[in-house]
Amino acid sequence: MHITWSNSSSGWKIDQISFLKSNGERVDVVTPSGLVTILYSPDFPSGSLDTIIYNNQGLKFPDEEFTYIQSSWRQVLDSVRMNRAGTAFSFFPEHLRFEEDRLVFSRELEIGQVEVTWSVDMNTTGAFLVTISLEASKAGYFSLSSPDLFYTAPEDLTWGIVPGNYQGRSITEDLPSALVYAQGLPAVPYIARENTVTTLTSILSNSQGLSQSVTVLPGYGRDPWEKDQSTHMDTRLGFSHMNREGKLTPTAYYPLLNHSKAKLEAGDRLSFVCKYTVTDKDWYELLKQTALQDYQLEKFLSLKESSLSLTHRIFDLLEYSLDDETSRWNELQTHGMRIGAQSYLGGVSGSNGDATKNSDIGAMWMMANSTNFFELKERRLPLIRNFKLQQIEGADSEISGAIKGQYYLSKSDKWVEEWGDHTEPVALTYYNMLDLGNILLFNPEDEEVKQYLLLGAERLLNWQKSDGSWAAGYLKDGKTEVYQDLKDYRPTFYGLLVAYKLLGDERYIDAAIKGADWLIAEGVRNGYFTGVCGDTRFVNDFATAQVAQGLLDLCDATGEEKYKEAALFTAKIYTSSIYTHPIPDSQTKMVNGREVPDWAISQVGLGFEHGGNLGSATGRGPILLASHAGLFLRVAQLTGDPYFALLARSAIWGREAFLHPENKVASYYWTSMNAGAGKFPHHAWWQIGMLTDYLMSEIAYRSAGQISFPAGFFTPKVGPHKPVGFQQGVVFGNPSSLFFRRDLVSGASPYLDFVAAWNEIDKVCYVMLLNNSNRKVSEKIQLRLPKELGNNKTSPIRCYNEAGDYKEIPFPNPEIVMEFSPYSLQVLEIPMY
């Protein structure tokens, strides 16, 4: 990239930016600039704008019944965020001087002396480092803005993103859609705060085939746990897709005008450093560049240490989940049927402390099948099955097949949604099709469950619109639409794919295709997604990752590559839901009276429940339920892009600081640290499903698919992880059935995880061992094989590497010594007699 400045009557302007593309074509940027802006307020800027925002249906936003988000919305309308606070001093520099390999531009303003220093970033092609400095000449509040490099006309915009806040290929006047649901770029120069800007950059791509980003380099953002308490909301940085004047150009602000660091006295100095990059690659490559190069994401794994293997975490979670007291298990009676569920103590419409819920039905049936635990298989599952059947409207209902509600209120004997008295097609997909579908994978002979699945499939067909879409929700009459300002950019189509796979009716796959085609054209292509959490009015959330997984599964069912392409694009978008800052280190922090290293409580690698401006991430940070990890490994395997695998491992490894010290259940929200399940005891099942899906995906990824087991349907609501074990898979070409035993492998370090499979035909047991660290480890392990498989005391065993090559070793007596390279997989093949 070549930048030329020229002096004019108004100052030094950039009059040419020339970029040499990778194909040898040289492009001159249409509208170069060089404008510098400083925001100034003599007094502390505070207060919301006195304005009412209406949604696209002409109704005041948000609805009054959504109490959880009212205060957050008032903060959205804050004058600083809306970029109307203070006075903007915009100018071109008056003076230029040369300092070695730097250009230093300056101008004296009535509020202070400003310098802007440009230098070439020798580590990145097409990148410059820009330092903005100010020495105040009067007291007040100051915010430095990154200078404008060049502008993109709205009609030339091909993509824009402020990660974690909004993205899309167009500008929208519909502010709730942009600022709440991340559907398009707002038509105002809104400043997104760093506590939900997941990667500290702003990116725009244009019709010239160029993408530009402005990234704030490390050292200027907040530390979310600076010392001994959460400082997640100590937001110093802001990012926008526009400058103060509303012109499209990636823009960063430091500090925010209402932050304590913005207050200066005369003579005080303030500065920060931005990195500008221009490339002919897409926005995703710039996003990765910030995370990998500027924020050193790969080094994070080298800091991680583990004290508990993921395998043992799964069994600890099982122990918790099967304890009636710790898991808050309830056995209840409704309509002549005994049902079972766990207490839910979070906010639910109409609850009097009596809400109950089950989660991750697939994980429950998976664990029952693979562990053969009597308590789970014989006592819990029949009551959970009954809970599911009671949850679904029967054949005599005018909305047969739909669900009555996510939650059962035992005191009032009724079913309710999380918020509002309505029913949603996506909830039908979740709590009928996915849950019953996963039950049928393990128990295909259950005809009653199959009949309720059929009712759900027919209801989805009935509710599907002519264009392939569904309504966001209906009143309980099944006809009157609610939330008409929202479109159902959710994986509702997936329920019909489930129906097709289990019931075989071609109408269902045709309808699933029609629904997916609409979602791709109207949602995925534009970067539009809708969430599934009712308490925050469906702010975009982890359902985006489910869209990616659902489209991958549809590709498998149809062979149509367009669904894989759309799935991979969606997965790329979902990487912008993952925190990649600040850089983790080993500095000691105090957390609830205990010392922990910074990396152990880092937000890096974690995704949010829902982000942007109204979601839980604004105050509580990301969540520990990283359901996307398995999906990211599957995408890494499909694309060969290791960034997805890096994000998956960053999310899962070394998270023991968030485990409850007694029951080993991870907290849900980051700010809860190690408080455990708290109000959400059912989350333990989702954690079991997430960790199992991660381990099985790692095995498939590391073996390049030579070890794989069929996966079921993804779990409702929280993400795309899937159960396994209902059908045989293959281990290096040999058909085998999964099983889990806690005491199968002992003596190993917490970096070693294990899964087992049984080949009934050849009477061979496979033990799959994963080194989940980026360091070489030496292990001395003992095996305790299930007696029902037979025994082996003399025959040699085979030890396979990831490629399927093996060597023979004597049967261990009493232990096997094994060497594992970083990220490696080894498989023991043990003959049984």
Side-chain angles (χ1 to χ4, degrees), residues 572-682:
K572 288 180 177 180
I573 292 174
Y574 196 71
T575 64
S576 69
S577 295
I578 311 302
Y579 280 85
T580 61
H581 69 95
I583 299 174
D585 59 34
S586 297
Q587 179 184 349
T588 298
K589 305 288 179 71
M590 292 298 297
V591 179
N592 300 331
R594 61 197 170 109
E595 292 187 350
V596 297
D598 171 76
W599 63 262
I601 58 170
S602 173
Q603 295 184 350
V604 171
L606 299 177
F608 50 61
E609 180 185 37
H610 19 69
N613 293 297
L614 298 193
S616 61
T618 57
R620 296 178 174 180
I623 57 174
L624 275 297
L625 191 59
S627 176
H628 61 275
L631 165 69
F632 276 10
L633 285 166
R634 292 187 279 277
V635 171
Q637 187 173 341
L638 283 170
T639 62
D641 184 350
Y643 185 63
F644 287 98
L646 175 59
L647 289 177
R649 291 162 180 167
S650 297
I652 298 293
W653 291 3
R655 294 295 180 180
E656 290 90 323
F658 295 94
L659 304 187
H660 189 277
E662 296 177 8
N663 57 44
K664 307 304 180 188
V665 180
S667 295
Y668 184 50
Y669 295 111
W670 173 86
T671 49
S672 300
M673 290 293 156
N674 65 336
K679 299 177 181 179
F680 318 112
H682 62 291

Side-chain angles (χ1 to χ4, degrees), residues 207-226:
S207 58
Q208 287 186 293
L210 299 181
S211 298
Q212 64 162 323
S213 67
V214 171
T215 299
V216 177
L217 293 185
Y220 297 96
R222 92 274 186 263
D223 181 336
W225 195 280
E226 191 168 352

Side-chain angles (χ1 to χ4, degrees), residues 171-220:
I171 309 297
T172 178
E173 299 283 347
D174 182 356
L175 293 186
S177 289
L179 297 181
V180 178
Y181 299 100
Q183 296 171 7
L185 308 183
V188 296
Y190 186 80
I191 301 177
R193 299 184 307 163
E194 67 173 298
N195 59 335
T196 56
V197 177
T198 50
T199 298
L200 296 181
T201 191
S202 175
I203 306 169
L204 293 177
S205 301
N206 65 27
S207 58
Q208 287 186 293
L210 299 181
S211 298
Q212 64 162 323
S213 67
V214 171
T215 299
V216 177
L217 293 185
Y220 297 96

Side-chain angles (χ1 to χ4, degrees), residues 87-370:
T87 301
F89 289 82
S90 297
F91 61 91
F92 293 101
E94 184 178 9
H95 305 289
L96 168 63
R97 71 177 186 273
F98 299 88
E99 291 185 358
E100 298 179 351
D101 55 354
R102 296 186 296 275
L103 299 179
V104 183
F105 297 92
S106 60
R107 191 171 193 118
E108 182 76 31
L109 305 176
E110 62 181 89
I111 56 172
Q113 173 75 23
V114 181
E115 287 192 347
V116 181
T117 303
W118 291 73
S119 63
V120 174
D121 182 351
M122 303 306 294
N123 297 313
T124 308
T125 300
F128 290 83
L129 300 179
V130 180
T131 302
I132 309 98
S133 302
L134 174 139
E135 182 176 332
S137 58
K138 60 172 62 177
Y141 292 81
F142 297 79
S143 180
L144 309 180
S145 171
S146 57
D148 302 347
L149 183 59
F150 64 86
Y151 303 122
T152 296
E155 62 271 20
D156 291 329
L157 176 70
T158 58
W159 195 262
I161 184 169
V162 175
N165 279 260
Y166 44 78
Q167 71 273 327
R169 59 180 69 251
S170 62
I171 309 297
T172 178
E173 299 283 347
D174 182 356
L175 293 186
S177 289
L179 297 181
V180 178
Y181 299 100
Q183 296 171 7
L185 308 183
V188 296
Y190 186 80
I191 301 177
R193 299 184 307 163
E194 67 173 298
N195 59 335
T196 56
V197 177
T198 50
T199 298
L200 296 181
T201 191
S202 175
I203 306 169
L204 293 177
S205 301
N206 65 27
S207 58
Q208 287 186 293
L210 299 181
S211 298
Q212 64 162 323
S213 67
V214 171
T215 299
V216 177
L217 293 185
Y220 297 96
R222 92 274 186 263
D223 181 336
W225 195 280
E226 191 168 352
K227 185 179 178 183
D228 56 5
Q229 61 184 331
S230 173
T231 44
H232 173 67
M233 296 183 70
D234 180 32
T235 49
R236 307 170 185 182
L237 295 172
F239 292 85
S240 186
H241 58 302
M242 290 178 172
N243 68 4
R244 174 76 169 228
E245 297 175 353
K247 293 183 178 180
L248 279 175
T249 187
T251 308
Y253 292 88
Y254 173 82
L256 292 177
L257 200 58
N258 55 0
H259 191 274
S260 59
K261 287 184 175 292
K263 185 177 182 180
L264 302 181
E265 301 296 333
D268 288 348
R269 294 185 61 85
L270 183 67
S271 69
F272 81 124
V273 183
C274 290
K275 178 176 179 176
Y276 290 65
T277 307
V278 177
T279 180
D280 56 356
K281 298 177 181 177
D282 66 7
W283 62 271
Y284 171 67
E285 294 300 321
L286 284 176
L287 188 78
K288 285 200 301 184
Q289 172 187 288
T290 300
L292 293 172
Q293 186 179 101
D294 301 320
Y295 281 83
Q296 305 171 31
L297 182 60
E298 286 183 280
K299 293 184 179 180
F300 184 28
L301 295 185
S302 65
L303 293 175
K304 283 180 174 281
E305 297 178 359
S306 294
S307 58
L308 180 69
S309 73
L310 301 176
T311 306
H312 285 98
R313 269 188 65 186
I314 291 172
F315 283 101
D316 285 341
L317 288 163
L318 265 175
E319 183 177 329
Y320 165 87
S321 298
L322 297 179
D323 183 295
D324 287 356
E325 183 177 354
T326 60
S327 66
R328 298 180 183 270
W329 174 252
N330 303 276
E331 295 187 7
L332 308 162
Q333 196 80 18
T334 180
H335 290 77
M337 182 176 282
R338 195 155 184 80
I339 65 174
Q342 293 173 268
S343 295
Y344 180 91
L345 303 177
V348 174
S349 179
S351 173
N352 187 22
D354 59 337
T356 58
K357 180 174 182 171
N358 286 307
S359 68
D360 214 334
I361 301 300
M364 294 176 180
W365 261 258
M366 171 179 69
M367 283 296 146
N369 190 65
S370 59

Side-chain angles (χ1 to χ4, degrees), residues 746-768:
S746 60
S749 76
Y751 301 103
L752 196 69
D753 288 297
F754 56 90
V755 177
W758 171 242
N759 180 344
E760 174 66 30
I761 297 173
D762 298 325
K763 306 298 181 187
V764 169
C765 180
Y766 294 100
V767 180
M768 293 159 271

